[in-house]
Amino acid sequence: MSRARLVPVALAAVMVAAGCGAAQNQAGTNTDAAITIFNTDPENPLVPGNTTEAGGSRVIDALFTGLVEYRAEDAQPVNAMAEKIETKDSKLFTVTIKKGWTFHDGSPVTAKSFVDAWNWTAYGPNATQGASFFSQIEGYAEVHPKDPDGADGPQEAPKPATDKLSGLKVVDEHTFTITLSEAFSVFPVTIGYEVFAPLPEAFFKDQKAFEAAPIGNGPFKFASRNVGTDIKLTRYDDYKGDDKPKFKDLTLKVYQSREAAYADLVANNLDFMEELPPNALAGQKYETDLGDRVVQRETLNMQTIAFPFYLKPYDNVDLRRAISMAINREEITQRIFEGTRKPADGWVHPLMKGYQKGQCGEYCAFNPQKAKESFAKSGYTGEIVLLSNTDGGHQEWAEAVANSIKNTLGVQARFVPSTSFGEFRQKVNAHEMTGMYRAGWIADYPSIENWLTPLYRTGSSSNDGLYSNPAFDAKLAEADKAPSEDQAIKLYLEAERIMAPDMPVVPLWTQNTIAGKSNRLKVANLHPFRKLDLDSVEVVG
C-alpha cells in the first residue's frame, strides 16, 4: 500500500472554505449495510463538552457536527454548520450558521443551541473536562472561578457569579457573536473540536435522559448502548451535511484487548480497526494476515509517559529526566513496532506547521551515563512503576520501557497492567495514579498550540498530572495574543523550550498508523486524527 503523508497544516484566521462534498455512491455499493468498528469503552456519558478521550470521541464524532470540521485528506479546517465566521481583529467573531439543520429529535439547530451548549460546558459546577477550551472567551472567570487550592484541595471553588459567558451573544436564530478576552488568531481553528458541538433543548430539560439516549445533529443518530459491550448508531437520513454516510448502521464494539479485536478483523468479523496491536506488527505479520486490507497513513498522535506531580517521588525533576534518558526509544520502536514509530524529540508533532526539531534536547536521547547521574542526583531508591490499561495494545511496549529503565538505572522498575481504558481514565482524572502512567495525545485541531496549551498549561483540561510552570503559562499567553501566525509559532516554540527542562511528560514516539479493514469494505480511509473517515466508507454490495 502507498503511504499518504500529511502536508503541514496552515492556520486560518477566518474559516472561508466550503465543506468538501462526499463522493457519489458507486455501482455495487450497499448503502443499507451495517458495519462494525473497534472501540474502547467511553469514560463518561456521551455529552460533547465532557468527552475528551478516544473511546467517547469516536462516538461523538458520528453523532454531532460542529461549526467547523477537519478535512480528511490534509486536516485543513473547513466550514461545516457554519455558513461563515467573520472577524476583523481576531477578538470579536460573528458566526452565521446554516439554515434547515435539525437535531435527531427533529428540533432545529439554532445559534442558541451553540451558545447554550458552550455556556453549560464552561460553567464550573458542571465539572466538565472540556471547560478550559472556553477560557479564551470573555467572562470565563465569572462562570468558572479559579479553585484556590486546585481540584484536589479541601477548599471549594467560589460560586460562579453567573452561568453565562458574557462573550457569547445570540443575535438572531442563525447568528451569534463570540468576544474573546484577548485577540487569539488560532480560535477559529479550535472550534472544530467536539467540545464546541451544539446541544438540543432536550438536554437541558432532562440531562439524565439525554445521557441514556444522546441526541445529536450529526450523520448518525443513537440507537442503543450496552456498557462494556457496544454502542449502536444508525444513519440520520435528514442530515444536511455534505458528509452523508454511504452505509446505514454503525456498531462501535468494545474490546478488552486489541489482540482480540485483531483476531476478529483477520476473520472478517470486525470491519475496521484504526490501529493494529504490536503482535500484528511483529515481523510485519499484518501483511500476510490482511494483504490488500491494510490501511495506513501518518497520523497526528504521540505516545507519552505522564507523571503524577501530586505524588512523590515524581515531583522530582532529576528523577523525571533520568527516566526519559533511560528509555531506548530507537530500539523499542524497531523491536516492538517494526519501525512504524519514530522516536519523539519534543512535545509538538513533526507534522505541525512550526515544528522545530530537537526541542527536548539531551533529555529525549538515550544516554545511560547521564541517566544514571541524574538518577543519583534525585536521591530516589525505591521502585519505579509504569501503569497502563491493556485493552489498547500497550502491554508489549510498556514492558519494554520498564525493562529499559530497569536495566539502565539498575533500579526495580515494572509495568503494572490496569483496568479497561474507561476505568483507567477515570482514575487518571481523579488523580489516583500510584505511579507514572501511559498517556498520549491525538490532536484536537491542527495547530502547534494544541500540543502545548491543553496538556501543560496550569489547570488545562488535559493537564492530568497537575504540572505547573508560571513562566511557561506566561509565554503561552503571549503567543495567544500574537498578531500573526508566524509570530505566534515563534512564541509557542519558546514556550516549549521553557518547559523542556521540567520534563512534564516523557515524549516517546509518533507513528505511521497501520489500520485494517474487512473484505466487506470497498473503501475505508484513515483520518489524520487516527480514526476511521466515516465519509469515505463504501461497503460491497
Side-chain angles (χ1 to χ4, degrees):
M1 296 281 291
S2 62
R3 188 169 80 178
R5 181 177 175 87
L6 293 177
V7 298
V9 177
L11 303 184
V14 183
M15 299 299 106
V16 293
C20 290
Q24 296 296 310
N25 289 336
Q26 310 229 347
T29 297
N30 182 357
T31 57
D32 289 326
I35 72 167
T36 304
I37 69 175
F38 170 87
N39 203 33
T40 51
D41 211 20
E43 174 187 352
N44 294 320
L46 298 168
V47 179
N50 200 32
T51 302
T52 59
E53 45 76 31
S57 294
R58 292 189 194 100
V59 187
I60 296 294
D61 181 59
L63 287 176
F64 291 87
T65 296
L67 297 171
V68 169
E69 291 184 335
Y70 305 116
R71 207 160 53 190
E73 58 266 35
D74 57 9
Q76 285 280 10
V78 294
N79 286 346
M81 264 220 71
E83 185 69 47
K84 55 185 176 180
I85 303 173
E86 301 171 300
T87 186
K88 294 179 180 178
D89 57 6
S90 294
K91 184 176 180 181
L92 173 62
F93 297 85
T94 300
V95 179
T96 305
I97 67 170
K98 294 174 181 175
K99 298 178 180 179
W101 283 57
T102 58
F103 287 104
H104 300 151
D105 62 357
S107 62
V109 184
T110 65
K112 189 174 183 292
S113 307
F114 284 94
V115 170
D116 287 351
W118 295 12
N119 279 327
W120 180 87
T121 302
Y123 186 55
N126 290 330
T128 65
Q129 292 185 7
S132 67
F133 284 93
F134 299 86
S135 62
Q136 303 281 356
I137 300 176
E138 198 171 77
Y140 181 76
E142 283 69 47
V143 303
H144 198 112
K146 186 176 180 180
D147 193 327
D149 57 359
D152 294 338
Q155 297 183 53
E156 292 187 7
K159 184 179 180 180
T162 178
D163 60 356
K164 293 178 175 56
L165 290 158
S166 60
L168 295 180
K169 302 291 184 186
V170 174
V171 177
D172 57 40
E173 190 174 3
H174 298 100
T175 311
F176 68 101
T177 60
I178 308 163
T179 303
L180 307 183
S181 54
E182 301 275 0
F184 182 38
S185 61
V186 176
F187 184 74
V189 181
T190 72
I191 55 179
Y193 185 40
E194 61 210 22
V195 300
F196 292 96
L199 286 170
E201 289 186 8
F203 171 82
F204 303 99
K205 291 178 179 178
D206 191 340
Q207 184 177 335
K208 290 295 183 184
F210 179 94
E211 290 176 352
I215 301 165
N217 68 320
F220 289 90
K221 61 183 179 179
F222 181 84
S224 66
R225 178 180 183 182
N226 297 302
V227 175
T229 303
D230 61 39
I231 297 172
K232 295 180 183 295
L233 311 178
T234 190
R235 185 174 60 213
Y236 180 49
D237 288 328
D238 290 331
Y239 179 62
K240 301 297 183 183
D242 293 326
D243 53 332
K244 293 181 175 66
K246 296 182 280 291
F247 63 98
K248 185 177 181 182
D249 296 315
L250 174 65
T251 297
L252 298 100
K253 186 175 180 181
V254 176
Y255 284 88
Q256 297 308 308
S257 74
R258 282 189 181 269
E259 290 74 17
Y262 181 69
D264 273 359
L265 179 71
V266 172
N268 288 299
N269 295 324
L270 179 70
D271 289 310
F272 193 83
M273 186 177 184
E274 92 296 343
E275 182 182 11
L276 304 187
N279 72 323
L281 301 179
Q284 298 182 327
K285 182 175 180 289
Y286 65 90
E287 292 187 346
T288 301
D289 290 343
L290 299 176
D292 62 3
R293 294 195 280 140
V294 174
V295 181
Q296 60 181 305
R297 79 176 299 168
E298 288 187 87
T299 51
L300 292 166
N301 57 298
M302 182 184 294
Q303 192 71 69
T304 62
I305 293 174
F307 299 104
F309 279 74
Y310 49 84
L311 181 73
K312 290 185 180 299
Y314 298 104
D315 59 350
N316 185 321
V317 68
D318 292 304
L319 178 61
R320 298 195 301 272
R321 293 173 183 172
I323 288 170
S324 182
M325 291 187 288
I327 299 171
N328 192 335
R329 295 165 177 78
E330 189 66 42
E331 179 183 273
I332 293 171
T333 54
Q334 291 298 323
R335 181 164 58 86
I336 303 293
F337 296 113
E338 295 285 332
T340 61
R341 307 295 193 269
K342 296 179 182 178
D345 60 359
W347 292 267
V348 171
H349 197 284
L351 293 178
M352 286 292 90
K353 183 178 180 181
Y355 161 79
Q356 187 165 314
K357 188 176 181 179
Q359 288 281 82
C360 187
E362 65 178 352
Y363 301 124
C364 283
F366 179 56
N367 190 323
Q369 183 59 40
K370 286 191 175 181
K372 291 174 184 176
E373 291 172 0
S374 187
F375 184 64
K377 189 177 178 182
S378 76
Y380 183 63
T381 57
E383 183 182 47
I384 294 173
V385 170
L386 172 59
L387 305 170
S388 174
N389 59 301
T390 55
D391 55 352
H394 301 294
Q395 182 160 344
E396 289 91 342
W397 71 256
E399 289 176 341
V401 165
N403 285 332
S404 186
I405 294 168
K406 177 181 178 180
N407 296 334
T408 303
L409 299 180
V411 64
Q412 285 299 313
R414 61 189 175 98
F415 164 64
V416 178
S418 186
T419 52
S420 70
F421 179 70
E423 292 174 332
F424 177 71
R425 284 299 307 170
Q426 287 173 358
K427 290 180 179 179
V428 169
N429 286 318
H431 306 133
E432 295 176 352
M433 290 292 99
T434 56
M436 63 184 191
Y437 55 95
R438 181 197 73 80
W441 191 245
I442 303 173
D444 301 317
Y445 45 87
S447 166
I448 186 173
E449 182 268 349
N450 187 238
W451 293 88
L452 300 173
T453 299
L455 291 159
Y456 310 116
R457 189 183 67 189
T458 303
S460 278
S461 60
S462 296
N463 185 352
D464 301 320
L466 304 184
Y467 167 72
S468 181
N469 181 330
F472 171 74
D473 293 347
K475 187 59 67 173
L476 285 181
E478 186 181 350
D480 289 347
K481 293 180 283 188
S484 73
E485 177 190 358
D486 289 342
Q487 288 173 279
I489 286 173
K490 180 181 177 181
L491 293 167
Y492 286 129
L493 291 174
E494 289 181 17
E496 186 184 15
R497 286 192 291 273
I498 289 171
M499 181 182 74
D502 293 343
M503 189 56 63
V505 307
V506 174
L508 292 176
W509 42 73
T510 59
Q511 70 185 72
N512 175 48
T513 299
I514 310 294
K517 64 185 178 71
S518 74
N519 60 12
R520 298 179 60 246
L521 303 191
K522 291 172 60 179
V523 182
N525 297 330
L526 265 174
H527 195 280
F529 295 106
R530 207 193 71 180
K531 61 184 179 181
L532 173 62
D533 174 23
L534 294 171
D535 184 24
S536 74
V537 174
E538 295 181 23
V539 185
V540 174

